[in-house]
Amino acid sequence: MNLFDVYPLFDITPVKAEGTFIWDDKGTKYLDFYGGHAVISIGHSHPHYVKKLDEQISQIAFYSNAVKMPLQNLLAEQLGKLSGYTDYNLFLCNSGTEANENAFKLASFHNGRKKVIAFKDSFHGRTSLSLGATDDAKLSANINKDHHVVFLPFNDVDAFKNAIDEATCAVIIEGIQGVGGINVPSPDFLRMLETECNKLGVVLILDEIQSGYGRSGKFFAHQHSAIQPHIITTAKGMGNGFPVAGVLIHPDIKAKHGMLGTTFGGNYLACAASLSVLEVIENENLISNAKETGNFIMTELKKMEGVKSVRGLGLMIGIETEGDANLIRKKLLQDEKIFTGFSSGKNTIRLLPPLNITIEEAQMFLNSINTILQQQLIPNT
């Protein structure tokens, strides 16, 4: 049997990782400024993370959600405390797309409706309604095209007010658009969404799968706008590489036995991983570090020739370049040994490094990208 060939692969085989660095099977060292799609939140192989997983797997790794698991309650308590959502409830699952599927289902259970409003350049996942609410036609098979989803321009107040009505079930928006190019919703736009949704009984879903867990310099990116959505979805940075996701649910949305379910969600190892991440984020002040180091990176990038614009918050940064961003990204990897990301359909490099990067590591990246940008500015002779 062969692997189903759906991933374009770099010719790199990582075998070891620590902190912000990765080593391949040839001994080459790479600086990781992408974190495996924003998954690595507290750094590779963090000793506290490794210790907690090792302790847990030696006791019990898995049983189903048919039994009591106090680790789930502890995780909910700690996540509520650190995020500020102490009165919300938590449903645990396995991936971002699964979190969004459950969010849509909860919204429809709550108000009985089925129309969804999403936004241009959105990405919410690759399954069923999550894909139906993703603005990328090439990802969507015919079976994904029959959902009741309306796509609106990002940050367009008038378009939104004209589209929302009493038939609308839910509005979903990313705290910061990731795949779409690191587009930040304006605080006024988010506050308007909250107001209009509350007027009409529409469930506001904040997709914080990529932008959450301290990455923006707040626990969730929407907290820069001081709003309170009805549902928040989170995943990537939640387990630092262990598959885990969560749905944070407003207390007005009531639970019933059987309305949601999962086999692997909230298992012992997932909870141990997630708890260790929260502990490291709090004990090492990683949210403050994300804000301060991210501001430093963005300030320095804006000074560089060859940079058209810089977007983002904290350590979720988009660099729109004058030259071919995909070529710059490849040169960063091949010549400078630095992993970065790319935004689909945009001339934008994505930076999503671990939240514990240092100023010195940030400077290494800045020196490297500046070297490549200057090379592009020198005409061939």
Side-chain angles (χ1 to χ4, degrees), residues 82-274:
L82 207 57
S83 69
Y85 281 99
T86 54
D87 60 336
Y88 276 47
N89 297 301
L90 177 66
F91 177 75
L92 291 163
C93 48
N94 308 283
S95 67
T97 192
E98 187 181 345
N100 282 335
E101 293 289 346
N102 281 292
F104 287 128
K105 191 175 180 182
L106 280 170
S108 190
F109 271 131
H110 181 66
N111 60 25
R113 307 170 190 172
K114 58 185 179 182
K115 174 183 169 182
V116 171
I117 293 176
F119 295 92
K120 298 288 186 183
D121 296 321
S122 60
F123 184 92
H124 297 293
R126 294 176 179 266
T127 60
S128 192
L129 187 50
S130 294
L131 183 53
T134 291
D135 184 30
D136 192 339
K138 67 180 179 292
L139 301 180
S140 188
N142 284 336
I143 201 168
N144 301 115
K145 296 176 181 176
D146 294 328
H147 298 300
H148 301 267
V149 180
V150 176
F151 290 99
L152 301 179
F154 198 64
N155 278 332
D156 189 325
V157 171
D158 291 337
F160 181 80
K161 287 186 175 180
N162 288 332
I164 192 170
D165 56 27
E166 292 182 352
T168 307
C169 172
V171 173
I172 187 166
I173 188 168
E174 291 158 89
I176 302 171
Q177 287 189 335
V179 175
I182 311 296
N183 303 310
V184 183
S186 74
D188 285 345
F189 186 69
L190 285 182
R191 287 191 282 266
M192 182 275 300
L193 295 188
E194 178 186 46
T195 298
E196 296 301 313
C197 286
N198 286 339
K199 279 183 189 175
L200 294 172
V202 175
V203 175
L204 178 58
I205 302 170
L206 251 295
D207 179 338
E208 295 276 8
I209 287 159
Q210 191 170 128
S211 55
Y213 261 71
R215 180 152 297 281
S216 72
K218 298 274 190 183
F219 194 90
F220 291 122
H222 71 264
Q223 291 173 316
H224 288 276
S225 303
I227 67 164
Q228 188 174 77
H230 304 103
I231 297 176
I232 305 157
T233 55
T234 186
K236 295 187 183 297
M238 190 173 181
N240 201 50
F242 197 95
V244 58
V247 186
L248 283 67
I249 307 158
H250 192 284
D252 285 350
I253 299 175
K254 302 302 181 184
K256 295 179 182 177
H257 287 177
M259 71 189 302
L260 302 178
T262 172
T263 297
F264 297 105
N267 64 73
Y268 290 93
L269 290 176
C271 289
S274 300

